[in-house]
């Protein structure tokens, strides 16, 4: 009787692994959702809670210098290529090449320079085939969270 349980258990175990693998292959990865051209729509800076509700949200200026020289502008075009290249096209149509990488459960986006140094990291809070929302903590002097909203071209 004991010898009969082992083959049944093995068959059930292999069926579960097969079913999991099949389902996993059917679900698109976060990288697949991210690849393509995105248009930066809004960039909001949220301060810490304040007594005046109208002061709790402000929009950042058009040009903001972040970390090691990466400039973010409102209404930029971000194109994520399958090879890990990120091309950011600014308002003057200048193309800035970077590298991108997802880590964690696909919810942390790293932007790297050409020397593979991390410039920025974002928390992806929403990603589907048409829209994306990313957040990042600004430095201690600014004290807040910036939220960037993108729409697919």
């Amino acid at each position: 009787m004991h010898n009969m349980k082992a083959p049944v258990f093995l068959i059930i175990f292999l069926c579960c692994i097969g079913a999991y693998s099949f389902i996993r292959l059917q679900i698109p990865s976060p990288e697949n959702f991210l690849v393509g051209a995105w248009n930066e729509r809004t960039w909001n800076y949220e301060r810490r809670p304040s007594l005046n509700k109208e002061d709790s949200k402000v929009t950042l200026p058009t040009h903001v210098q972040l970390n090691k020289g990466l400039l973010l502008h409102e209404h930029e075009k971000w194109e994520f290529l399958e090879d890990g290249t990120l091309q950011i096209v600014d308002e003057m149509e200048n193309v800035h090449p970077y590298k991108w990488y997802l880590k964690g459960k696909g919810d942390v986006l790293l932007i790297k320079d050409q020397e593979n140094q991390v410039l920025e990291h974002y928390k992806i809070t929403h990603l589907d085939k048409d829209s994306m929302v990313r957040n990042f903590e600004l430095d201690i002097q600014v004290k807040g969270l910036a939220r960037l909203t993108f729409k697919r071209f």
Side-chain angles (χ1 to χ4, degrees):
M1 186 73 140
H2 178 60
N3 290 339
M4 294 292 287
K5 289 183 180 179
V8 171
F9 176 74
L10 182 60
I11 290 171
I12 292 172
F13 180 72
L14 291 175
C15 286
C16 288
I17 289 177
Y20 173 78
S21 298
F22 176 76
I23 291 170
R24 186 77 176 135
L25 289 173
Q26 301 304 312
I27 300 171
S29 70
E31 288 89 356
N32 291 344
F33 274 122
L34 194 59
V35 170
W38 295 88
N39 186 18
E40 186 176 339
R41 297 297 179 139
T42 61
W43 182 355
N44 293 320
Y45 167 69
E46 297 182 12
R47 288 193 245 168
R48 293 186 178 174
S50 111
L51 296 175
N52 183 353
K53 289 188 179 187
E54 292 184 21
D55 279 347
S56 65
K57 265 191 184 178
V58 295
T59 301
L60 284 174
T62 303
H63 296 73
V64 176
Q65 178 89 26
L66 298 172
N67 292 339
K68 297 181 182 178
L70 179 60
L71 285 172
L72 293 180
H73 309 272
E74 288 186 322
H75 307 292
E76 285 182 324
K77 176 184 171 188
W78 293 50
E79 186 169 3
F80 295 89
L81 304 176
E82 288 184 22
D83 67 357
T85 302
L86 168 63
Q87 295 179 341
I88 298 177
V89 181
D90 63 24
E91 294 172 332
M92 304 300 288
E93 297 297 319
N94 297 317
V95 177
H96 305 275
Y98 298 98
K99 297 178 184 179
W100 68 274
Y101 174 74
L102 288 180
K103 68 179 222 174
K105 297 177 183 176
D107 63 340
V108 177
L109 172 65
L110 298 179
I111 306 296
K112 298 180 179 184
D113 63 15
Q114 296 304 312
E115 287 77 41
N116 227 20
Q117 298 294 316
V118 175
L119 296 173
E120 295 180 8
H121 63 279
Y122 298 90
K123 174 80 172 168
I124 299 175
T125 56
H126 174 80
L127 178 62
D128 63 27
K129 65 181 180 119
D130 297 321
S131 64
M132 170 175 41
V133 177
R134 301 189 321 226
N135 296 297
F136 69 95
E137 291 290 329
L138 298 170
D139 66 21
I140 293 174
Q141 294 172 353
V142 178
K143 295 182 182 173
L145 178 77
R147 179 177 25 169
L148 290 86
T149 304
F150 290 79
K151 297 288 182 192
R152 190 176 296 276
F153 272 101

